[in-house]
Amino acid sequence: MSSSSTYDYIIVGAGSAGCAVAAGLIAREAGSIAIIEAGPSDRHPFVKIPMALIWLMGSRRDWRFKSAPMPGVNGRQVNIPRGRMVGGSGSINSMVWFRGRRDDYDKWGVPGWGWSDVEPAFEDVEAKTSPNRLAHPHPLTEALHTVLGRNDIAPPTPEYESAGVCHFNLRNGRRWSAADAFLRPAAGPDLTVITGKEVTRLSISKDRADGIYLGTELLCATKGVILSAGSIGSPDLLMRSGIGPKGSVEKQIVDAPEIGQNLQDHPGCGLHFAGAESGYGLTVKQAANWLTAPLQYLAGRGPLASPTVEGAMFFNARGTDPKPDVQSHFIPFFMNWKGSRYAYGSGYFADVCLCRPKSRGSLSRRDGQLQIDLGLFTDETDLDTLSHGLFRLRDLLKQAHGDKAAPEMHPAGKAATLDEMRAHVRSAAGTAYHPVGTLRMGTDKSAPVTPTLRVRGVDALWAADASIMPAVTSANTNAPSMMIGHRAASFIVG
């Protein structure tokens, strides 16, 4: 065993939250900081190109997690992409920027985390990330503004029924991740970024976190350790370090039954449309567009400058309440539903995701292996709401696109009744890649994390990422993850 370095604080994970934590600690002159990232740097051209996320997912820059087989989706396993490089999932996502609903935070019921508490942090984060409207959306995406109240060019919001072009953390048509907004501006002698090293376990002495192990190499932390490895990585590291529920840990240090519980995500399922030149795709007529795409990209235009998800809609699945309960992501690209990634044709795709799912899953470790059960549709009201939402999505897209609408190709007539749509959802649903909640914060002693982000049972150990959310927010979770990371430093050093 060797001890190579000592720092004041060590942050595990250089993702969306971890980068913000590092910047906050540096701004407060908290001492020497090391941030550890298992994957490589984000210095790869594909990271900056918005559309290139389709090649980053499934690459070595993705953890490529899979769920356990789940009864709610006919025993299928679903993919769980998670970024494995500097910037984390914010370096492979579609960059959609939503705070969520104001009452998401009030309903958490955690002191210091209501909307009035988090709103100033969002403003601080957005001063650095500068989210803005996509400069050159596809005409099919632009047409979304004509439905659900015709909210002009304002971005859609989960606060009320709305549709349109989203805002994104892009600058000059390039990805602007938390690494760009927080980590690089914080660079200096007190910040060490270590890439390509996976933390295998925490070092804990006398109920205090005093470092981390990179294999057999020990890095010491005199003031503490911050977990920002995400809703899968953070609880998994705790369990590998002896902190968690019985049966999921070896050499138990702290019995914490709720670690890994409360896992939730936005379940989603979509509709595929195809028609002559209706959206981006591989066709003879679009060959010239693809040949010139690199030049268009340099000007911030064209398909390479598209983050794929260009627009969104928030609406009530049954149309019976003014409050949205589902979100739709609109992608003006042909997406093949027959298995292979590439296929001839043009078209578009739109999904429906539940804003506030009731189903819950869990993480556990069995025989040294991580088991991820997203628990999709364990509460069947989720299945019903999603199915109704897909029926209404069909109508909304027809309204938006009018005579430019392409025929629905899948599931089309195979999902004409509610029972058929439910069956389609079970056979095709995945998630929006927004796992949260596995280190729920709360004032009750069973909550793994306190409202000041301390991990219960171990001193000098904090969690700061989406894992601490008591419930998932009502839209994409990248912005809330940065907000949590940004606030963390104030709790850690005051």
Side-chain angles (χ1 to χ4, degrees):
M1 181 186 300
S2 62
S3 177
S4 60
S5 301
T6 298
Y7 304 91
D8 289 312
Y9 291 99
I10 294 175
I11 303 167
V12 181
S16 296
C19 289
V21 175
L25 292 176
I26 291 295
R28 288 169 173 78
E29 300 180 347
S32 58
I33 314 297
I35 184 165
I36 317 296
E37 172 54 45
S41 79
D42 59 346
R43 304 285 190 181
H44 189 288
F46 280 7
V47 174
K48 288 298 180 187
I49 299 172
M51 184 192 153
L53 64 87
I54 66 173
W55 296 296
L56 290 170
M57 288 188 182
S59 75
R60 73 185 187 96
R61 295 170 184 270
D62 176 359
W63 283 98
R64 294 178 287 185
F65 293 119
K66 278 189 175 291
S67 76
M70 294 177 288
V73 289
N74 297 341
R76 291 183 297 113
Q77 295 177 277
V78 303
N79 293 330
I80 309 172
R82 295 284 87 199
R84 189 177 183 269
M85 69 175 122
V86 170
S89 297
S91 286
I92 66 170
N93 68 354
S94 57
M95 297 161 277
V96 179
W97 194 266
F98 288 112
R99 295 180 177 185
R101 286 171 58 114
R102 294 176 176 86
D103 62 358
D104 286 338
Y105 303 94
D106 293 333
K107 287 184 176 182
W108 282 359
V110 179
W113 289 90
W115 175 249
S116 62
D117 302 300
V118 304
E119 184 183 20
F122 274 117
E123 292 172 352
D124 290 346
V125 168
E126 289 164 3
K128 296 179 181 293
T129 56
S130 305
N132 53 79
R133 190 179 192 269
L134 187 64
H136 302 287
H138 193 283
L140 289 169
T141 311
E142 198 74 72
L144 297 179
H145 285 284
T146 63
V147 298
L148 294 171
R150 298 176 177 266
N151 60 321
D152 197 29
I153 63 168
T157 170
E159 297 289 352
Y160 51 83
E161 290 199 324
S162 54
V165 179
C166 296
H167 281 200
F168 301 85
N169 46 317
L170 287 164
R171 284 194 178 181
N172 301 317
R174 277 70 168 167
R175 181 186 298 274
W176 189 256
S177 72
D180 299 306
F182 292 99
L183 193 62
R184 291 193 178 93
D190 286 333
L191 179 61
T192 300
V193 180
I194 300 172
T195 59
K197 299 283 188 178
E198 185 173 352
V199 178
T200 50
R201 63 185 175 91
L202 302 172
S203 173
I204 300 172
S205 301
K206 297 180 180 179
D207 297 328
R208 178 183 174 85
D210 59 8
I212 55 96
Y213 284 95
L214 305 173
T216 59
E217 180 186 3
L218 173 65
L219 271 61
C220 298
T222 60
K223 295 182 180 178
V225 176
I226 301 101
L227 304 178
S228 294
S231 293
I232 295 173
S234 289
D236 185 43
L237 181 57
L238 287 173
M239 289 187 285
R240 285 189 277 119
S241 303
I243 304 164
K246 293 177 181 177
S248 281
V249 299
E250 296 180 10
K251 299 179 181 178
Q252 192 161 43
I253 296 174
V254 177
D255 182 12
E258 278 207 33
I259 286 177
Q261 303 300 303
N262 192 47
L263 174 60
Q264 53 206 277
D265 200 335
H266 292 129
C269 190
L271 306 176
H272 297 256
F273 299 80
E277 314 317 320
S278 57
Y280 293 122
L282 300 177
T283 67
V284 172
K285 288 187 177 181
Q286 293 195 43
N289 190 41
W290 286 107
L291 287 172
T292 61
L295 292 176
Q296 294 181 65
Y297 169 68
L298 294 176
R301 308 177 68 97
L304 294 180
S306 171
T308 67
V309 175
E310 291 190 355
M313 294 189 281
F314 292 93
F315 57 92
N316 184 266
R318 295 170 176 82
T320 57
D321 192 298
K323 289 184 179 180
D325 55 8
V326 295
Q327 174 184 4
S328 175
H329 301 89
F330 181 78
I331 299 175
F333 285 78
F334 178 80
M335 292 180 63
N336 189 24
W337 59 93
K338 297 179 181 179
S340 62
R341 176 178 290 188
Y342 303 107
Y344 186 87
S346 63
Y348 51 92
F349 172 87
D351 68 5
V352 169
C353 298
L354 298 182
C355 289
R356 291 176 174 171
K358 297 179 181 179
S359 300
R360 296 292 183 267
S362 64
L363 300 180
S364 60
R365 292 192 67 82
R366 294 289 183 272
D367 300 322
Q369 299 296 315
L370 178 64
Q371 302 293 316
I372 308 172
D373 180 3
L374 295 169
L376 298 185
F377 310 124
T378 51
D379 188 317
E380 289 206 10
T381 61
D382 286 347
L383 179 65
D384 287 338
T385 299
L386 187 48
S387 298
H388 281 287
L390 286 165
F391 282 118
R392 191 168 181 211
L393 175 64
R394 283 174 169 165
D395 293 336
L396 290 170
L397 290 175
K398 286 178 184 176
Q399 292 175 39
H401 296 145
D403 59 5
K404 291 183 172 58
E408 181 186 334
M409 304 302 290
H410 182 73
K414 295 178 181 178
T417 68
L418 182 59
D419 283 346
E420 288 172 342
M421 188 66 82
R422 284 166 56 98
H424 168 65
V425 171
R426 287 197 187 277
S427 68
T431 76
Y433 312 146
H434 302 151
V436 309
T438 48
L439 294 177
R440 174 183 69 88
M441 68 174 170
T443 55
D444 56 298
K445 292 183 179 180
S446 61
V449 172
T450 73
T452 57
L453 304 185
R454 289 185 175 273
V455 176
R456 281 193 167 87
V458 182
D459 291 333
L461 181 62
W462 296 266
D465 56 33
S467 69
I468 63 97
M469 294 186 188
V472 69
T473 52
S474 294
N476 307 64
T477 53
N478 191 226
S481 296
M482 289 192 210
M483 178 275 292
I484 291 166
H486 178 70
R487 297 196 77 206
S490 64
F491 296 119
I492 293 168
V493 298

